[in-house]
Amino acid sequence: MADLYIGCVADDFTGATDMASFLVKGGLNTEICDGIPDQNWRPAASTQALVIALKSRTEPVEIAVKDSLACFQWLYTKLKAKQLYFKYCSTFDSTSEGNIGPVIDAVLTTLALDNVIISPALPVNGRSVYLGHLFVNGLLLENSSMRQHPLTPMTNSNLMNLIEQQGRGKATNISHTTLESTTDDIKQQLQSLSQYQYLVVDHFNDQHAKAIVCAFADHPFLSGSSGLAEPLAQAHALNQSLTDTQLTSLDKAPTLVLAGSCSVATREQIAVFSEDYASYQIDPTLLHKGDISCDDIWQWFVAQDNAPCLIYSSQAPETVKEHQQTMGVNVAQLLEQTFASIAKKAVEHGTRRLIVAGGETSGAVTQALCVKHFVVGPSIAPGVPIIQPREFPELLMTLKSGNFGAADFFTKALTMMNE
């Protein structure tokens, strides 16, 4: 096995594919593992970065900490990863109690570290940090659509406040003016911040990302979105002999699109795709009452006769909130189970291309298919690669965070995966 330069733990599956796509772009052969790895499992010999996908974003705090720490310890002790990375969403969303802070605290304690950077920025997808505040497409986080997220609503943009509410330590901001100094000057200024555990870094352009990576190149533990992944990979890949990741593939194959995300971006993508392809919207009220069943949806899919098609449950946030009030929050779990069942049956009957929107939906689908280890290939959009299960190489998948991708994403994914 090659040296493992980066060992990353992501708090959901689409976050893992997001991180992996930028590591590949930065020059590291990257693999994804879904869930806590078996102690005896090892990545492929050529793998230089490994991303472990958990479902810790919306889990109870104690489970999120336990599972994350188990993965970090395995990466550190078993694979001797040179650098550990905790990947969370570029909108910093977590449960109301907050899972990001407790996970970071556990790693800092275990590794006996003084502090860690907090860097959720991803400028290429409109996420930026200015003076410690998180912006989404130019709007403060609290004024963006994330305010109405059905599972993790975000109503505060001040990252120092957010991380201090979740964790046990103190936070400070490393401003863009500091990052625009030399690397030596940045490191010197960092020495005066020893009383702070959380270093919230400004980041709204590529030069900031490179400055952060240079300043923290020898730090054993980093945290953030995928915004640092490409320059971090480039730093590790420097002067290394690398080969491009190649996916083995069949010719064109039956393709199914599944969308559980209610984000604005995904709803736009559904509208565009539905103009040219058949689509079926799952009504959660009818599903909950038993007026429609998973078998009814399956029969609709069969009737499409292997033509590309879309099955979705995406609705406006206010409608989702109404459903939660009348049916309870378990409606989300019911929809996840439905998507997982449809995906499993579709693959069993010959579907070989799956495009899935939404972190929770993606996690449910991969678990239902019993695929756990993935080779990471080219990206369809920033943060959204094509992946190939090692256990099922005939299958190609792309699993995207709800907010990622342009309006034509599903169509573009369909084309790329079948070329």
Side-chain angles (χ1 to χ4, degrees):
M1 177 181 162
D3 288 338
L4 191 70
Y5 295 110
I6 298 173
C8 176
V9 178
D11 64 1
D12 77 352
F13 201 97
T14 54
T17 59
D18 171 21
M19 183 74 180
S21 71
F22 285 105
L23 291 173
V24 168
K25 188 177 179 183
L28 294 182
N29 297 326
T30 304
E31 195 168 344
I32 296 173
C33 176
D34 187 16
I36 301 174
D38 183 279
Q39 290 296 305
N40 296 319
W41 178 79
R42 294 294 181 271
S46 60
T47 298
Q48 295 162 314
L50 176 65
V51 184
I52 301 174
L54 297 180
K55 201 175 181 179
S56 58
R57 182 177 303 172
T58 54
E59 285 181 327
V61 172
E62 61 274 11
I63 296 176
V65 171
K66 176 177 173 290
D67 290 352
S68 300
L69 199 55
C71 293
F72 279 121
Q73 289 177 315
W74 182 81
L75 288 165
Y76 189 69
T77 59
K78 296 292 184 181
L79 298 192
K80 310 296 182 186
K82 297 181 183 300
Q83 199 162 44
L84 300 178
Y85 200 104
F86 177 34
K87 161 65 174 70
Y88 39 79
C89 186
S90 57
T91 45
F92 209 72
D93 46 313
S94 184
T95 62
S96 56
E97 295 82 7
N99 287 347
I100 297 173
V103 169
I104 286 174
D105 287 346
V107 178
L108 290 177
T109 299
T110 301
L111 299 183
L113 298 174
D114 294 328
N115 51 42
V116 66
I117 59 168
I118 306 294
S119 181
L122 182 58
V124 71
N125 279 341
R127 280 68 163 161
S128 57
V129 176
Y130 176 74
L131 297 180
H133 289 69
L134 184 56
F135 290 77
V136 178
N137 294 321
L139 296 174
L140 283 166
L141 177 64
E142 63 205 54
N143 296 328
S144 74
S145 60
M146 284 303 299
R147 186 179 183 86
Q148 298 177 309
H149 193 286
L151 295 178
T152 54
M154 300 303 294
T155 58
N156 188 350
S157 305
N158 188 315
L159 291 168
M160 286 80 73
N161 288 348
L162 286 171
I163 192 63
E164 284 184 348
Q165 289 168 8
Q166 295 185 19
R168 299 190 300 265
K170 294 172 61 180
T172 189
N173 171 229
I174 299 177
S175 74
H176 56 283
T177 54
T178 297
L179 294 176
E180 288 160 8
S181 306
T182 67
T183 299
D184 288 340
D185 287 342
I186 297 171
K187 289 185 175 182
Q188 186 173 359
Q189 292 187 48
L190 291 176
Q191 293 175 6
S192 65
L193 302 177
S194 58
Q195 72 271 36
Y196 296 101
Q197 288 70 49
Y198 316 122
L199 308 179
V200 177
V201 290
D202 281 4
H203 176 184
F204 47 88
N205 61 43
D206 290 345
Q207 293 307 311
H208 294 154
K210 292 175 182 177
I212 294 166
V213 167
C214 288
F216 291 89
D218 56 353
H219 204 277
F221 176 51
L222 307 176
S223 86
S225 71
S226 61
L228 299 180
E230 185 177 351
L232 193 63
Q234 289 171 341
H236 284 294
L238 195 64
N239 299 323
Q240 300 298 317
S241 177
L242 303 177
T243 57
D244 291 337
T245 302
Q246 298 291 330
L247 302 182
T248 58
S249 175
L250 305 173
D251 293 327
K252 289 184 179 181
T255 304
L256 172 62
V257 184
L258 299 171
S261 167
C262 294
S263 70
V264 172
T266 295
R267 285 184 281 135
E268 290 177 347
Q269 291 156 1
I270 288 169
V272 171
F273 191 81
S274 298
E275 292 176 359
D276 298 313
Y277 299 96
S279 63
Y280 182 105
Q281 183 174 22
I282 302 174
D283 186 326
T285 303
L286 298 180
L287 189 65
H288 183 260
K289 291 166 59 178
D291 292 341
I292 61 169
S293 67
C294 189
D295 188 60
D296 294 324
I297 302 169
W298 171 250
Q299 292 304 322
W300 176 88
F301 172 74
V302 171
Q304 306 314 306
D305 196 26
N306 286 331
C309 60
L310 162 69
I311 299 173
Y312 68 100
S313 64
S314 310
Q315 294 178 310
E318 55 270 21
T319 305
V320 174
K321 187 173 290 186
E322 290 175 9
H323 290 327
Q324 290 175 335
Q325 291 171 346
T326 56
M327 294 178 280
V329 293
N330 64 344
V331 66
Q333 186 176 15
L334 176 62
L335 288 168
E336 288 172 27
Q337 292 171 347
T338 302
F339 281 121
S341 178
I342 294 296
K344 187 172 185 293
K345 291 181 72 172
V347 171
E348 289 173 347
H349 286 76
T351 295
R352 294 294 179 265
R353 306 286 185 268
L354 283 178
I355 303 166
V356 188
E360 303 301 316
T361 307
S362 296
V365 167
T366 56
Q367 290 180 13
L369 295 177
C370 296
V371 288
K372 193 174 176 69
H373 308 113
F374 303 84
V375 179
V376 182
S379 292
I380 298 166
V384 193
I386 298 172
I387 59 175
Q388 182 174 45
R390 289 198 181 278
E391 301 92 337
F392 197 165
E394 297 85 1
L395 178 65
L396 295 182
M397 308 173 70
T398 186
L399 312 172
K400 86 170 194 77
S401 174
N403 286 305
F404 284 10
D408 64 346
F409 175 84
F410 291 150
T411 304
K412 186 177 180 182
L414 174 68
T415 301
M416 282 189 64
M417 294 173 76
N418 284 291
E419 283 181 342

